[in-house]
Amino acid sequence: MSQHDNATHEELFRRLQETEARLSLAVQSSGAGTWRWDVVSNLVIWDGRPHPVFGDRKECFEGTLRDFESALHPEDREWVLACVENALAGGNEVDFEYRVIWPDGSLHFVSDRGKVLRNDIGLPICMTGVCWDITKHKHIAEALSKSEARYRSLYTKTPIMLHSIDRQGRLISVSDCWLEKLGYRREEVIGKKSIDFLTEASRQFAIEESLPQFFQNGFCNEVPFQFVKKNGEVLDIELSATVERNEHGEIICSLGVLVDVTKRKQAEAAIQRHQSQLEQQIAQRTGALQKAKEQAEMAANAKSEFLANMSHEIRTPLNVIIGLTQSLLNRSPNLGLPEEVQEYLSHIKTNGQNLSELINNVLDLSKIEAGRMDLTLSPFNLQKLVEDLVVTYSLYAEQRGVRFTYEVLPQVPRDIVSDRGKLRQVFANLIGNAIKFTPPNKSVSFQVGLLEDNLLRFTVQDEGIGIPIEKQQRIFDAFEQVDRTLTRHFEGTGLGLAITKKLTDLMGGTISIQSRVDEGSSFSITLPFTETHSIVEESSKPSSQTFHFSSDNLVVVVEDNQINQITIKSLFRDAGIPIQLASTGEEGLQKILSFQAQGILPDLVLMDLHMPQMSGFEATQAIRALPELRHIPIVALSADAFTEQQARAYEVGMNGYLTKPIDFQELLGVLKHYLRWVIE
């Protein structure tokens, strides 16, 4: 061999060593170990790596195949050696996994690959290979396998309806509960489309709406479907699902949770049917109640209409009786009537007024019970109202021989906002009762005081017969009287206190009583109020001055009832006032227009309301339609005492309202307000 050949051989050997070094480094870096088994000498040569793979056996490893065999798990030894023999016999390669037992007794898994090298005549010379410790991978794979098994078991055994579908909508797995609910076996459903188990309507909904939206959004929540069981029954299902995607974001399958809401739907349907039945019953009962309400309203209206008509029919003759009686009493000094006749006339007037009061009470009670009485709030002079009452009831008390006193405490405001008419009626009822039930030479007092929080207190105290304690609450009931015996000494209907209580309640106040039999009674009323400072009125205290009306006053009275005309003419004659009479609304209008043509306007028009052809309302509207006549004072004169009629009178433009039978003093007050008069 030449020197050049030696150099070449050395270079190849060096390169081979470098290659083996790089290969050894690569194998070690991969965690693998290489081995070589010389078949002829039965020697096994390992690099440094296989020792850790087999449990670091350097001390006990002698380099023979027997050392390898001793490391194998007893159960694997036979088949591993058989694989080796098979490779030597002609298989040439081995690729297997086996278990080894380390010196510390622990079990490990090894993956091994080897190849047989042969000589020119095909006999095995050696076998070389690579091995890895795959124990960790085995443990991970085993844990993963167990986890998958648990998941599969949980998926299939869970008491919830679950199913998974692929991108084409085919079922790839279902839970046992799904199968149980729908009555199928697993092999009957896997591979079929989920929509095949829906009703026609749900299938159409899924194809056209639900599935496209689901695959677009990647999820759905509580979508309602109807599934058909194997036996043909229908289940109401709510489906919630989400998709699973691969690493490229492509949908590969989905997991759906199905909730059987059939019973809930049935319950809802039952509730709906029950609700519908209830609504029908409510509608029927509402209809019945509405009908009953309408009938009650018709009855109430009929009652009100009856009372209004009766009131009108009774008041008309009462107006004549009381009016002409008053006229006779006014003229008695000039006529020289005996005192006995004057006394008779006084009794006629008093009893006529009592009958009128009874009618008023019945009407008021009827309106209160029907809920048709409302408050009319307005500013007025409280002290003047009290003084007016004192003037009226001082005469009544004097006639009965009863001392009557009153007191308005200094802190009481003069002007307030309240319902003047109802407040006057309350005072009149209490003061009138107190005087009526108090014997002669005894006292009645009326006091007005102020409490805190804008509350007024009105107290009427008497020294009358008193009220037993067991009857003190019942006296506020309608038609209830203290003395109900046949020999009772005090007249009355038992409506006054009932109306007083209801009016007090309506105004937001309270009424209380303290009483002892044979010692007297004290009624106290508290009422809320609002103070005002916008009222300026004259005092109504009794005056000794007399007056007479001017002779140039022009008064037109429109009244269709002839006997009422006689009564009114008589009363006006007593007041010294000539009047112009008209029997119809049309005649009254023409009379006023005739005066206007002469350049004269009436100072006052008294207008009856209920007249044929043209009513008092229509006549007033016709007058107010003419600008020149808009300011003529028009006062209603009617036997209709209902509030609705009074409100309507004011709506059409009337300035006041006098109720028949005419109270002469009230008439004088109206005349004095609108006409010219002088003090004598």
Side-chain angles (χ1 to χ4, degrees), residues 41-46 51 57-70:
S41 64
N42 197 29
L43 291 177
V44 179
I45 301 173
W46 284 345
H51 289 292
R57 294 172 176 265
K58 290 181 179 180
E59 293 79 2
C60 60
F61 182 69
E62 298 178 355
T64 65
L65 185 59
R66 186 177 298 277
D67 296 330
F68 170 70
E69 293 177 8
S70 64

Side-chain angles (χ1 to χ4, degrees), residues 220-406:
C220 66
N221 289 317
E222 298 180 349
V223 180
F225 291 101
Q226 285 191 316
F227 278 68
V228 181
K229 297 173 63 173
K230 189 174 182 179
N231 63 5
E233 295 179 6
V234 175
L235 289 184
D236 287 295
I237 298 294
E238 286 184 352
L239 173 65
S240 299
T242 185
V243 300
E244 183 179 349
R245 303 178 186 271
N246 60 18
E247 63 273 15
H248 304 296
E250 299 170 339
I251 296 174
I252 55 177
C253 65
S254 68
L255 173 64
V257 178
L258 298 84
V259 179
D260 182 3
V261 294
T262 306
K263 292 183 178 179
R264 191 187 78 190
K265 290 285 187 180
Q266 292 172 348
E268 289 174 353
I271 292 173
Q272 184 64 35
R273 288 193 300 271
H274 183 62
Q275 183 176 354
S276 178
Q277 293 173 355
L278 286 178
E279 289 175 352
Q280 290 178 359
Q281 293 176 359
I282 290 172
Q284 292 173 354
R285 292 180 182 177
T286 302
L289 289 174
Q290 181 64 28
K291 186 176 180 180
K293 178 176 177 289
E294 291 173 357
Q295 291 175 345
E297 289 176 347
M298 289 175 60
N301 290 334
K303 175 184 175 183
S304 298
E305 186 176 351
F306 170 78
L307 289 174
N309 291 335
M310 288 299 297
S311 169
H312 186 275
E313 295 303 318
I314 294 173
R315 286 174 185 275
T316 299
L318 268 181
N319 181 58
V320 176
I321 295 171
I322 296 176
L324 293 180
T325 301
Q326 179 66 57
S327 183
L328 287 173
L329 287 172
N330 292 339
R331 301 177 191 180
S332 59
N334 297 329
L335 295 175
L337 295 178
E339 291 185 4
E340 184 179 11
V341 174
Q342 294 183 44
E343 185 178 353
Y344 291 163
L345 291 173
S346 178
H347 289 325
I348 293 173
K349 177 188 174 184
T350 300
N351 283 275
Q353 290 173 335
N354 290 340
L355 182 56
S356 177
E357 181 183 356
L358 171 60
I359 296 170
N360 290 337
N361 287 340
V362 171
L363 291 178
D364 287 341
L365 186 63
S366 174
K367 286 186 286 186
I368 293 172
E369 290 178 344
R372 298 171 62 180
M373 180 170 284
D374 300 317
L375 290 178
T376 303
L377 300 179
S378 62
F380 64 91
N381 188 320
L382 175 63
Q383 295 190 17
K384 182 176 183 301
L385 173 63
V386 172
E387 291 167 1
D388 288 343
L389 285 166
V390 169
V391 170
T392 300
Y393 285 96
S394 292
L395 296 175
Y396 179 45
E398 184 179 349
Q399 291 173 357
R400 298 186 64 89
V402 175
R403 293 186 297 274
F404 178 45
T405 60
Y406 82 101

Side-chain angles (χ1 to χ4, degrees), residues 520-582:
S521 304
S522 176
F523 288 86
S524 292
I525 289 179
T526 58
L527 285 176
F529 75 98
T530 301
E531 187 173 0
T532 182
H533 302 284
S534 60
I535 307 299
V536 178
E537 296 187 25
E538 299 177 352
S539 172
S540 296
K541 290 183 179 180
S543 172
S544 59
Q545 293 178 323
T546 60
F547 67 94
H548 68 269
F549 291 99
S550 301
S551 59
D552 59 349
N553 285 309
L554 177 58
V555 178
V556 176
V557 178
V558 185
E559 168 64 61
D560 66 324
N561 187 288
Q562 291 185 353
I563 191 67
N564 278 337
Q565 289 181 358
I566 295 172
T567 304
I568 293 170
K569 286 173 65 176
S570 178
L571 291 174
F572 270 82
R573 188 182 301 117
D574 295 340
I577 303 172
I579 62 174
Q580 296 291 326
L581 275 171

Side-chain angles (χ1 to χ4, degrees), residues 198-206 226 228:
L198 299 178
T199 62
E200 183 60 34
S202 288
R203 186 183 301 116
Q204 196 72 18
F205 168 69
Q226 285 191 316
V228 181

